[in-house]
Amino acid sequence: MKKYQFPKTYIHTIPIFPLGMINAFLLVNTNGCILIDTGLPNTENKINRVLKKLNLDFNDIKLIVITHAHIDHAGNASKIKSLSAAPIIAHKADLPYFTGEKKMFFCATGWFGRLFSLTGAIQRPYEAFKPDILLKSSEKFGLNDFGFDGEVISTPGHTEGSISVIVENTQAVVGDLISSGILLGGIIRTNRAKRPPFEENPLKVSQELKTISDQGVSTFFMGHGGPLPQVEVLRHIEKLKTVANK
Ligand SMILES: [Zn+2]
Ligand SMILES: [Zn+2]
């Protein structure tokens, strides 16, 4: 029996902030599109701009993946869901933050994270929502039913409920498991991996990145900066191990 061939998927970056500072992503093939992350509240025009360029609109979005509960990724989920009518998939461990029941806590990884926390910008509440599909513990969710060769996997560490999307076994969108550039991410040095401003469990992050890399993923797309080749991610994994041992 011939295996069903999915059409080739393209990963388009949606600049929520310019210069790679905050990215969302659109997976596109001839079957439609999947949105990964929704950006800060009231930034739907940034997503619309990319959709339009591709001759698509919000109705073409078949699924919304929320990589984790931080406001720069989940902050506009409720609005995008109402514009697109697409279901939202996310991880159960971050559910109390999506629904606003619990306030996020932030483990700063350096001076920028600490300073950024002080501004209060990242702790702002956003419109609460309830994901339609919830991954539990290390569950996976195949994207074949949506017409895509890919899967959503659980990758805890940045937050407990962080998830990533593997596309065609060779590319991955990993949210904030890793970032690059300076400050929030992006601007310059975008080819150099670094820890995001906040990270709950560096050892767990290094393990999840290693698992994705071992699967044969060669290009990593991320919420801040990037994309990064596998070799740079492997370098970062080694660095994270020393951080975790301190
Ligand atoms: Zn984050
Ligand atoms: Zn982020």
Side-chain angles (χ1 to χ4, degrees):
M1 204 171 75
K2 195 171 175 287
K3 213 178 138 216
Y4 176 71
Q5 289 280 319
F6 289 98
K8 165 123 191 76
T9 297
Y10 296 90
I11 303 177
H12 294 270
T13 302
I14 301 171
I16 300 293
F17 274 12
L19 305 171
M21 282 189 282
I22 301 180
N23 309 314
F25 295 94
L26 201 63
L27 305 185
V28 183
N29 70 17
T30 50
N31 289 328
C33 62
I34 293 175
L35 179 67
I36 305 177
D37 286 335
T38 59
L40 292 163
N42 305 313
T43 55
E44 60 275 10
N45 61 328
K46 312 279 178 172
I47 296 172
N48 197 25
R49 199 173 296 161
V50 173
L51 285 169
K52 262 191 172 159
K53 237 191 250 167
L54 299 164
N55 276 323
L56 300 166
D57 62 43
F58 282 108
N59 290 316
D60 293 302
I61 299 176
K62 298 181 154 195
L63 180 69
I64 302 163
V65 180
I66 303 292
T67 61
H68 64 291
H70 288 157
I71 190 170
D72 46 326
H73 303 259
N76 214 23
S78 173
K79 174 90 67 68
I80 302 297
K81 187 187 156 87
S82 65
L83 287 170
S84 66
I88 294 177
I89 181 167
H91 197 280
K92 194 166 184 258
D94 275 8
L95 182 61
Y97 310 110
F98 298 137
T99 57
E101 274 163 65
K102 263 198 206 167
K103 251 186 126 164
M104 280 284 354
F105 62 95
F106 294 89
C107 306
T109 55
W111 66 269
F112 180 72
R114 283 191 286 276
L115 195 70
F116 194 50
S117 294
L118 288 178
T119 67
I122 191 151
Q123 293 97 334
R124 256 186 316 150
Y126 51 80
E127 198 177 328
F129 66 96
K130 222 172 159 192
D132 305 273
I133 307 162
L134 278 176
L135 283 186
K136 289 181 212 82
S137 51
S138 56
E139 265 177 11
K140 292 179 178 188
F141 183 87
L143 295 174
N144 295 8
D145 287 349
F146 293 88
F148 285 78
D149 175 6
E151 57 181 4
V152 183
I153 60 168
S154 160
T155 52
H158 175 63
T159 64
E160 188 56 36
S162 287
I163 57 177
S164 299
V165 183
I166 310 291
V167 181
E168 294 168 350
N169 293 311
T170 53
Q171 308 189 82
V173 181
V174 298
D176 285 356
L177 274 194
I178 189 168
S179 68
S180 76
I182 59 165
L183 305 176
L184 195 56
I187 309 179
I188 55 167
R189 290 172 68 86
T190 49
N191 58 345
R192 295 286 283 183
K194 66 162 199 172
R195 298 172 73 196
F198 309 99
E199 185 171 71
E200 288 179 15
N201 186 338
L203 184 63
K204 198 85 198 75
V205 167
S206 74
Q207 289 162 348
E208 296 301 335
L209 285 171
K210 181 78 172 48
T211 304
I212 298 174
S213 170
D214 286 349
Q215 222 175 298
V217 168
S218 54
T219 311
F220 291 68
F221 294 83
M222 56 211 69
H224 311 285
L228 290 174
Q230 184 188 33
V231 53
E232 181 63 12
V233 174
L234 289 172
R235 203 185 60 82
H236 184 69
I237 290 170
E238 290 310 312
K239 221 171 66 190
L240 274 183
K241 282 189 204 157
T242 62
V243 172
N245 285 334
K246 263 186 204 158

